Amino acid sequence: MSMPLEIVTDPALGGRWTSLRTAAGREWLWHREAPERESVSPGDPFVDAGGLEECVPTVRGTPDHGDAWARPWTREADRGGDLDRGPGSDPAGDRYAVHCDRFTLSRTIRGTREGAEADYVLTADAGFRFVWAAHALLDLSDRASLHIGEGARTRLFPEAAPLLERAWPKGAPWVEGNWPAPCGLRLDRFGPDDGTAVGAVVDAAGCCVHDDTDRLSLALEAEGQPMSVALWRNLAGFPAGGPYRSTGVEPMLGRVFDLAEAGAGDVARVPASGEVRWRLTLTENCRCT
């Protein structure tokens, strides 16, 4: 029986999700040509090839987009069988892991009757602090919209300052307001390219993307950890030297892009057991109100 969502990843190049396709043929992930991605090393500046990146232990800051995207992932022998499956293969049901200096992250992706789910385990010393984001860049029309519970607390980051009616507080890493229009800036519509780029983090465990008649729901489960949805609405406003359109909808553990800016309650933390577990569920059924 075919599943509603097919996921393909590239373990050799950072574990990036390269395809998220519906049974009807809708490809949700956006891509761009970035051949330099094939030669990156840990600590290099981020190379944006699109798809969905595993960003951990930070998104912004150091290392740029985290420490996992520039490292190879390996298939773990949790199910037996051939361990030499090549890059770009369908990983359904197999566990892959990336080993970084201070932590190991493993991921198991499975198809479900309604879509797909990805189970994660991060192992590290007790007290290790991190942010994780499923940095999903989606291929969306200018009619697309993002649905999150109205009134959810939302943080805006300094690139939004020119778009606000009020002055940005001196030295503030973010300002807060309520979804869908924090501080008067409407964020739930993607719209046509207008030369702006805005990042936001919404205090919610799930969201739903609408694009004409297509729907993609993303939801997180993580016991005892802060959960949010990050938004990157780049309407050809970034980067300055050669801007392009990229729209990110990113389920997140934590409430900040940059681990270095986190306050109390803003990051995930490894408990005494030495591991944190969470699940990302994707379906074509919108569950947000």
Side-chain angles (χ1 to χ4, degrees), residues 17 20 31 76 83 92 104 114 153 194 201 214 230 244 254 262 283:
W17 301 31
L20 175 59
H31 303 87
E76 305 289 282
L83 299 187
T104 294
E114 293 188 332
R153 202 66 179 159
D194 61 8
V201 174
D214 294 326
Y244 51 83
T283 74

Side-chain angles (χ1 to χ4, degrees), residues 5-276:
L5 292 173
E6 177 188 9
I7 296 170
V8 178
T9 70
D10 191 346
L13 292 178
R16 184 170 66 101
W17 301 31
T18 58
S19 181
L20 175 59
R21 185 179 296 271
T22 70
R26 164 70 190 252
E27 175 59 65
W28 280 103
L29 295 181
W30 168 88
H31 303 87
R32 66 187 289 266
E33 291 295 325
E36 64 273 26
R37 174 61 183 269
E38 297 187 10
S39 59
V40 296
S41 298
D44 284 354
F46 182 61
V47 176
D48 185 7
L52 185 155
E53 305 280 6
E54 305 285 356
C55 293
V56 59
T58 191
V59 182
R60 298 180 182 177
T62 304
D64 186 12
H65 282 69
D67 201 24
W69 70 271
R71 297 177 184 267
W73 292 52
T74 55
R75 184 172 173 235
E76 305 289 282
D78 61 319
R79 284 185 42 183
D82 180 13
L83 299 187
D84 296 324
R85 191 183 302 178
S89 59
D90 185 346
D94 292 334
R95 187 176 70 197
Y96 283 78
V98 59
H99 302 279
C100 301
D101 292 340
R102 297 190 60 197
F103 65 92
T104 294
L105 177 67
S106 67
R107 176 187 71 199
T108 306
I109 299 175
R110 300 181 181 87
T112 67
R113 289 185 177 275
E114 293 188 332
E117 60 189 23
D119 287 328
Y120 294 86
V121 182
L122 184 140
T123 57
D125 291 340
F128 179 71
R129 301 164 68 252
F130 69 96
V131 171
W132 164 85
H135 187 277
L137 295 177
L138 303 182
D139 189 3
L140 302 177
S141 74
D142 59 12
R143 300 175 299 280
S145 58
L146 180 59
H147 295 252
I148 299 175
E150 186 170 353
R153 202 66 179 159
T154 303
R155 289 177 174 177
L156 292 172
F157 293 82
E159 64 270 12
L163 305 177
L164 304 183
E165 294 180 355
R166 71 188 199 191
W168 191 269
K170 186 176 180 179
W174 61 75
V175 297
E176 293 191 346
N178 294 329
W179 184 265
C183 306
L185 178 61
R186 189 76 182 263
L187 290 180
D188 59 335
R189 307 290 174 179
F190 288 94
D193 293 353
D194 61 8
T196 66
V198 177
V201 174
V202 188
D203 191 6
C207 64
C208 189
V209 179
H210 293 198
D211 196 1
D212 293 329
T213 60
D214 294 326
R215 303 286 185 268
L216 179 65
S217 175
L218 306 101
L220 274 182
E221 301 171 60
E223 184 176 355
Q225 304 292 346
M227 295 178 288
S228 61
V229 176
L231 169 66
W232 173 241
R233 195 183 68 176
N234 174 25
L235 305 179
F238 177 90
Y244 51 83
R245 180 186 181 95
S246 60
T247 48
V249 178
E250 308 170 20
M252 176 183 282
L253 293 186
R255 297 191 179 101
V256 291
F257 287 115
D258 190 341
L259 181 64
E261 295 179 345
D266 287 341
V267 297
R269 187 183 295 270
V270 175
S273 66
E275 66 177 33
V276 176

